[in-house]
Amino acid sequence: MSTASRLPGIVTTDHVFHLPLDHAVPQGERIDVYAREVVAAGREDDDLPWLLFLQGGPGGKAGRPLGRDGWLVRALDDFRVLLLDQRGTGRSTPATRQTLARRGGPQAQADYLASFRADAIVRDAELIRRLLLGEDRRWSLLGQSFGGFCALTYLSLAPEGLREVFVTGGLAGLRSSADDVYRSAYPRVRGKNEAHYARYPGDVEAVRRIAAHLADAPATLPDGALLTVEAFQALGMMLGSGTGSHVLHYLLEEAWVEGPAGPELSDTFLAEAQAKLSFAQNPLYAVLHESIYGQRSVDPAGTAWAAERVRKEFPGFDARAALASEAPVLLTGEMIYPWMFETDPALRPLAETAQLLAERTDWPDLYSPERLAANEVPVAAAVYHDDMYVDTADSLATARAVRGLQPWITNEWEHDGLRVSGGKVLDRLIGMARGKL
């Protein structure tokens, strides 16, 4: 049963759909998939076109609107918006250490989670489209980051459901292996480190001091997680957003207090580090992260902890070696490592499950280069020139491979441009897709 709520400038309606876990077995097990409909206040009864929003991730629930803000400022001029909690997230049937334990051992859990990739998300969306709009009415699609990866899968599997597509920071390499992804990612992350240290030169020593302390004596975070030097390096994930470098600097400013036995890491620093590093709220991000790149045609041996393996090709990210020299300690980025399933209490029960997914070799291909080359759906994509998370060269190659796709290459925004631009990024893409720019 749908329920409606009023917030400043908007009306929201809850929808819950009971969908197949495995779309190849429609009569088998079912899961709930939740979506929140958002419409401008006063337009609830208007016959508006629909815009499906696919969140970044994987494993992230859709944003919770507090009113007509962010990119909704622009979207609600034209659309009735559907914010999808992709399967396993938010108010959809959850997939966490608590719920997965009920499914049995690691193999049963891994088999279950194999149905949580972009292809299943797209098939969920197609069923929801037909239920909400009817068989013949198409909707528009906005995909942010991983949501853009899903948009490419949608264009490959079911373009007949799409009226137009907008992608922000999410043009994946169609035939890039997980190794390829990380081999191009580490140099981008190194560049973000260099830019941060140029902006805040004092942070070179601040990071070295914390890393040296943790190399000798890892700290315990408030939730019981272990803050090793490698876990500390993972705070570099922040460097990919528009304000992340500044947030990191402020975090480092308050790292130390004078304790009874001398300087020690402050409770403030440890609590904020936990908030940045814990996967308690989105465990699927860690468990499924490398599998979003898995395709039989490019990863026949599985993804096999690609970020960890490829890291060895970039010795500059070895914090202990940096501490033994005068080199800056480099922070890492959007990488998932097997040790995270040892240090994070939210992930620890899923370690064997994650290992089985890393070893899986039968991932179906997610994109159809042939269908994309014949694409007839208008597509406009923002490609952020300095994007830390998605390789620009991959994005531009994909833009050339999708017939009719119009790329907008910009360094005005970082990866979070959709969220922070107040609707400007979406407005430009709408204009491009409709031939007005």
Side-chain angles (χ1 to χ4, degrees):
M1 181 176 180
S2 299
T3 58
S5 301
R6 289 187 175 272
L7 290 86
I10 63 173
V11 177
T12 70
T13 304
D14 297 335
H15 299 277
V16 178
F17 304 92
H18 306 287
L19 305 180
L21 169 65
D22 182 348
H23 286 275
V25 188
Q27 303 307 315
E29 180 179 351
R30 297 207 154 224
I31 59 173
D32 288 345
V33 175
Y34 168 83
R36 178 177 278 110
E37 174 188 339
V38 185
V39 65
R43 303 194 70 186
E44 302 94 308
D45 297 326
D46 290 0
D47 185 20
L48 297 167
W50 286 75
L51 174 69
L52 171 68
F53 176 64
L54 295 180
Q55 169 77 16
K61 64 186 179 184
R64 273 37 184 169
L66 301 176
R68 187 166 179 172
D69 52 14
W71 58 269
L72 286 173
V73 169
R74 175 62 183 89
L76 294 179
D77 285 345
D78 290 15
F79 298 105
R80 187 181 300 272
V81 174
L82 194 70
L83 304 174
L84 183 69
D85 279 358
Q86 297 164 17
R87 50 171 56 201
T89 75
R91 291 177 60 184
S92 297
T93 299
T96 68
R97 64 175 178 84
Q98 296 161 302
T99 63
L100 290 169
R102 300 198 303 266
R103 300 201 68 86
Q107 188 63 63
Q109 295 175 23
D111 291 343
Y112 177 73
L113 291 176
S115 295
F116 281 68
R117 297 201 313 152
D119 45 359
I121 293 167
V122 165
R123 291 185 172 102
D124 288 345
E126 262 299 273
L127 279 179
I128 291 169
R129 179 187 66 84
R130 293 197 288 270
L131 290 168
L132 280 180
L133 282 67
E135 289 286 342
D136 300 325
R137 191 174 179 187
R138 298 179 296 166
W139 57 11
S140 302
L141 170 60
L142 170 59
Q144 158 65 16
S145 192
F146 171 68
F149 293 18
C150 294
L152 291 170
T153 301
Y154 211 141
L155 287 165
S156 298
L157 296 180
E160 64 277 5
L162 298 172
R163 174 173 173 251
E164 58 194 352
V165 173
F166 317 114
V167 175
T168 54
L171 289 183
L174 301 179
R175 286 294 178 262
S176 295
S177 69
D179 283 34
D180 295 334
V181 167
Y182 294 109
R183 198 163 281 125
S184 63
Y186 280 109
R188 296 198 308 274
V189 176
R190 182 176 56 223
K192 293 295 185 181
N193 275 265
E194 292 167 352
H196 176 79
Y197 287 142
R199 184 178 299 114
Y200 295 112
D203 284 2
V204 174
E205 182 53 36
V207 169
R208 284 180 61 87
R209 183 185 178 193
I210 296 169
H213 176 81
L214 294 172
D216 289 338
T220 301
L221 298 178
D223 66 352
L226 196 63
L227 183 64
T228 63
V229 65
E230 290 80 12
F232 169 61
Q233 287 178 275
L235 288 172
M237 176 75 164
M238 288 188 281
L239 293 176
S241 69
T243 59
S245 175
H246 311 301
V247 174
L248 174 63
H249 173 70
Y250 293 141
L251 175 61
L252 297 173
E253 280 187 332
E254 298 184 78
W256 297 97
V257 295
E258 195 67 31
E264 60 184 69
L265 291 172
S266 70
D267 286 346
T268 296
F269 172 81
L270 294 174
E272 291 188 12
Q274 174 185 299
K276 301 294 184 185
L277 296 173
S278 173
F279 288 99
Q281 294 191 60
N282 58 340
L284 285 185
Y285 180 92
V287 178
L288 290 177
H289 198 270
E290 289 198 356
S291 72
I292 70 174
Y293 305 112
Q295 301 186 86
R296 277 190 299 254
S297 64
V298 294
D299 271 318
T303 57
W305 299 114
E308 176 79 358
R309 289 185 293 96
V310 172
R311 181 172 176 164
K312 295 179 176 65
E313 301 174 19
F314 298 90
F317 286 90
D318 184 335
R320 289 172 175 79
L323 290 170
S325 68
E326 297 300 318
V329 172
L330 298 181
L331 306 178
T332 52
E334 194 179 28
M335 289 86 174
I336 298 297
Y337 302 108
W339 55 258
M340 292 176 170
F341 292 84
E342 301 171 5
T343 60
D344 188 335
L347 297 181
R348 202 171 291 140
L350 301 174
E352 291 184 59
T353 302
Q355 180 64 35
L356 290 168
L357 290 169
E359 295 171 356
R360 196 176 185 104
T361 60
D362 60 348
W363 294 118
D365 283 0
L366 295 167
Y367 314 116
S368 169
E370 296 75 22
R371 294 197 79 176
L372 293 172
N375 172 61
E376 296 182 354
V377 178
V379 184
V383 177
Y384 302 119
H385 186 270
D386 299 318
D387 199 325
M388 188 178 84
Y389 304 116
V390 179
D391 186 61
T392 301
D394 270 353
S395 294
L396 295 180
T398 295
R400 292 189 294 271
V402 180
R403 181 175 178 267
L405 187 151
Q406 299 183 68
W408 168 38
I409 306 164
T410 177
N411 61 2
E412 184 177 358
W413 312 102
E414 293 276 357
H415 190 76
D416 56 351
L418 177 68
R419 179 174 60 82
V420 302
S421 68
K424 292 179 182 178
V425 167
L426 179 58
D427 182 66
R428 170 133 186 173
L429 295 181
I430 291 172
M432 290 171 62
R434 296 177 182 176
K436 297 179 180 179
L437 291 176

